[in-house]
Amino acid sequence: MSRQAFEAFKKGIALEKEAQFKRAKALYEDILRYADDEAVLEKTRRRMEDIDDLIAEKAIYRRIDENAKRVLTEIGVNIVGNQSLMDLLLEADAVDFDNETALFIPLKQEYIDHCLERTPRKMAGDPGENTFGIGATSPFLKRAGEDELRQANREEYKKIASAVGEQQDVVGIFSLPVACDMSISLFEVAQLMEKNFPGLKMITTNTMSDDEAAFLKGKDRWLDGTSLITSLSPMDNMVEPFLRSARIGNNLLLIDQSIAGVSAPGSPEAFLTQVHAQVIFMMVIAQTVNPGIECVHCGIPSVVGADGALAYSSPQQTLINAAMARINSWIAHFPSAQTGGSTSLSEVTPQAFLDSELSRNTLRKYGVHIVRHAMGALGSLNFFSLDKFLEDCDRERHSRRIFEAMPRDIGVIPTYFPGDDQALEGIREAAEKGNPKNADHTLKNAGSFIHWMARIRDAAQKKQYFPELNDIVLEAINSGG
């Protein structure tokens, strides 16, 4: 019986890893009912402490996925002023002309489903789960002992590319880490990346020529980083580059950089619902142009601090990206990329290293796919430091060794993601008023992230999963944050 109970428990953990929490719970209940091995019973009881929270969390993510599609069918996207997108969707018979209550141009549900069915769920150059990387594209290079803000030049970028290549045991994706000056073109940067780093790479092609943009075509280990809409409206300067990349057939990294309460609603659920909707819209356009094209869901939601600036040192930034990753891994099953591992601090200090380390370890703890900005970034992505990058890589090696030595029967850890049954209404209200800041829904949810963090801290005080790893939640508790 002990052996059977142990095997059943292992199967329960495997089901959790597949986000099959209800099936895992049924298995754990059987173990508690019939097993007599106290060691297995204790492990099972510990998993039962989390399982209902995981079931509830997954239900919210399923609602986010469903409501994201409803954003496109019931609220719509404000593309009426962009003839290219209008013509494309009209020709595909994708517009729902029977909908008289949508604010903007609504899509047909069946057309969305058709496009998403075409979207590959497997990524040819996939570096695997919990992949951390460098980039993308801070405006300025941080130089030791120098305060002047400048982009990287050719020689400096050669050093960066060489250093990244030397750290490829821990660097899983090489995105352009810092803007470059006129001494080197973006295409030449891509060639340097190709020469020095054999793994997954990402660059933007919107300023490249047609021939240069086609350099990425047919290459599994290249992603074309692109975007299309924000605040449910197209970015006019990105429409033609987006369509060109899709027509070429480059693998697309579909980037949504919405900010809670600024360019999207303020509650975590409404926020992620809009981010997810906007990435799905990009997928629809990409599949309309080039059916079957590879698309990576790069919803990278951001939060701001009390000063109104991006807050990459905040645990809120890390947790909202972990939740976005779970929507993809548990529900939608798209390859995904997140942001994390950075810091709000602008100087290379011990606290800046710690901020980044805590964020990476928390993302690893909850489980993500590909994480950009994880090494070398400073000042909420305003600066890139080669010195910080090298130290981040060393710390990542240390954390990885500790994590890999951990027991495999811990199970999945809840984020206690807060529900918002008014999320869809909040998105509509913000769209009607033209700005989330003016929406009553945003005001009502002004403290939602704070309450979410308090719930996580309470849980962390009761139950420590990885005490050997620095934990951003416990660190916040100890510092009184």
Side-chain angles (χ1 to χ4, degrees):
M1 184 62 197
S2 295
R3 183 64 183 174
Q4 288 178 330
F6 177 71
E7 292 299 325
F9 179 77
K10 282 176 53 180
K11 184 177 179 182
I13 294 294
L15 288 169
E16 286 193 52
K17 301 296 185 183
E18 298 169 1
Q20 300 294 322
F21 303 118
K22 290 183 179 179
R23 292 177 60 193
K25 181 179 180 179
L27 203 57
Y28 295 149
E29 288 174 336
D30 282 346
I31 293 171
L32 293 176
R33 190 176 297 117
Y34 299 115
D36 54 11
D37 185 300
E38 188 54 40
V40 175
L41 288 171
E42 177 59 25
K43 289 177 179 289
T44 304
R45 283 191 285 266
R46 290 180 64 82
R47 293 314 308 136
M48 286 293 285
E49 292 172 3
D50 288 339
I51 204 70
D52 286 335
D53 289 315
L54 290 166
I55 290 170
E57 184 178 341
K58 184 178 179 180
I60 295 173
Y61 295 154
R62 189 174 300 283
R63 181 169 66 185
I64 288 173
D65 186 56
E66 293 168 354
N67 280 346
K69 296 165 192 172
R70 291 179 64 190
V71 169
L72 303 181
T73 60
E74 297 179 15
I75 298 174
V77 179
N78 189 14
I79 60 170
V80 69
N82 191 283
Q83 199 60 47
S84 296
L85 295 178
M86 282 296 299
D87 290 347
L88 189 71
L89 292 173
L90 288 172
E91 184 178 350
D93 192 25
V95 177
D96 183 3
F97 289 106
D98 294 330
N99 187 328
E100 299 179 353
T101 60
L103 295 176
F104 306 126
I105 304 299
L107 301 184
K108 294 178 179 178
Q109 177 69 55
E110 58 269 26
Y111 189 74
I112 296 172
D113 293 339
H114 172 66
C115 289
L116 296 185
E117 287 172 3
R118 288 175 161 183
T119 306
R121 269 35 179 212
K122 300 291 185 181
M123 180 180 174
D126 195 344
E129 296 301 304
N130 295 327
T131 290
F132 297 101
I134 186 173
T137 325
S138 299
F140 305 111
L141 179 63
K142 194 75 172 178
R143 299 167 176 86
E146 184 178 322
D147 293 330
E148 183 181 357
L149 299 180
R150 289 183 288 119
Q151 299 169 328
N153 59 37
R154 176 185 291 272
E155 291 307 312
E156 287 169 328
Y157 197 79
K158 285 181 179 179
K159 292 179 182 177
I160 292 170
S162 177
V164 174
E166 292 168 359
Q167 308 295 321
Q168 59 187 279
D169 60 313
V170 290
V171 177
I173 178 172
F174 184 7
S175 302
L176 181 70
V178 63
C180 297
D181 65 17
M182 298 297 290
S183 65
I184 185 170
S185 71
L186 204 58
F187 181 63
E188 290 174 304
V189 166
Q191 291 176 311
L192 272 176
M193 294 166 68
E194 178 90 336
K195 175 184 176 182
N196 286 276
F197 190 76
L200 187 65
K201 296 168 285 291
M202 190 285 288
I203 200 164
T204 56
T205 65
N206 57 301
T207 61
M208 292 184 183
S209 69
D210 291 350
D211 288 342
E212 289 172 343
F215 169 72
L216 276 62
K217 182 179 179 180
K219 297 183 177 179
D220 292 343
R221 295 186 179 274
W222 270 103
L223 296 173
D224 187 334
T226 187
S227 191
L228 184 63
I229 62 171
T230 184
S231 300
L232 297 178
S233 297
M235 296 177 283
D236 289 336
N237 66 324
M238 286 301 300
V239 173
E240 292 309 319
F242 183 98
L243 296 177
R244 181 185 67 174
S245 292
R247 291 188 183 110
I248 289 172
N250 292 345
N251 301 323
L252 302 182
L253 185 80
L254 304 176
I255 304 168
D256 185 289
Q257 303 179 86
S258 297
I259 303 172
V262 178
S263 55
S267 81
E269 180 173 346
F271 184 26
L272 291 193
T273 300
Q274 182 166 317
V275 171
H276 194 43
Q278 292 177 161
V279 177
I280 287 175
F281 181 79
M282 288 187 251
M283 289 181 175
V284 167
I285 296 298
Q287 297 303 325
T288 301
V289 171
N290 194 341
I293 189 171
E294 183 174 294
C295 296
V296 178
H297 188 302
C298 190
I300 48 176
S302 291
V303 300
V304 296
D307 59 356
L310 290 180
Y312 266 72
S313 290
S314 169
Q316 300 173 13
Q317 177 69 26
T318 300
L319 268 294
I320 195 69
N321 275 272
M324 185 79 256
R326 285 187 168 184
I327 292 169
N328 282 296
S329 63
W330 292 7
I331 306 297
H333 305 298
F334 298 121
S336 68
Q338 303 308 135
T339 182
S342 186
T343 175
S344 299
L345 301 178
S346 298
E347 301 297 329
V348 180
T349 64
Q351 186 60 49
F353 292 133
L354 183 60
D355 284 353
S356 297
E357 183 179 15
L358 294 174
S359 179
R360 287 193 302 272
N361 287 345
T362 299
L363 288 166
R364 178 188 289 109
K365 181 180 76 173
Y366 288 111
V368 289
H369 189 193
I370 298 165
V371 179
R372 302 156 73 216
H373 315 118
M375 294 175 237
L378 287 161
S380 294
L381 314 187
N382 282 314
F383 311 99
F384 172 78
S385 163
L386 185 56
D387 290 338
K388 181 174 183 294
F389 166 69
L390 295 173
E391 175 67 18
D392 284 342
C393 287
D394 283 342
R395 291 188 177 222
E396 173 60 16
R397 287 186 187 91
H398 175 71
S399 292
R400 185 182 290 185
R401 284 193 296 270
I402 295 174
F403 191 83
E404 289 175 351
M406 292 290 182
R408 298 302 175 192
D409 58 1
I410 291 172
V412 177
I413 304 171
T415 68
Y416 308 100
F417 190 83
D420 174 13
D421 59 9
Q422 298 298 308
L424 202 60
E425 290 81 354
I427 295 170
R428 175 180 279 271
E429 182 195 3
E432 286 176 330
K433 295 184 175 179
N435 191 327
K437 296 179 181 178
N438 300 328
D440 292 339
H441 178 270
T442 300
L443 297 175
K444 291 176 182 176
N445 286 279
S448 57
F449 276 90
I450 295 173
H451 296 318
W452 182 20
M453 294 302 104
R455 175 71 178 89
I456 292 174
R457 290 182 187 122
D458 288 344
Q461 286 178 316
K462 297 173 184 176
K463 190 173 183 180
Q464 295 185 28
Y465 296 90
F466 301 119
E468 294 87 349
L469 282 169
N470 288 327
D471 186 303
I472 199 167
V473 176
L474 296 179
E475 187 71 19
I477 293 168
N478 295 334
S479 65

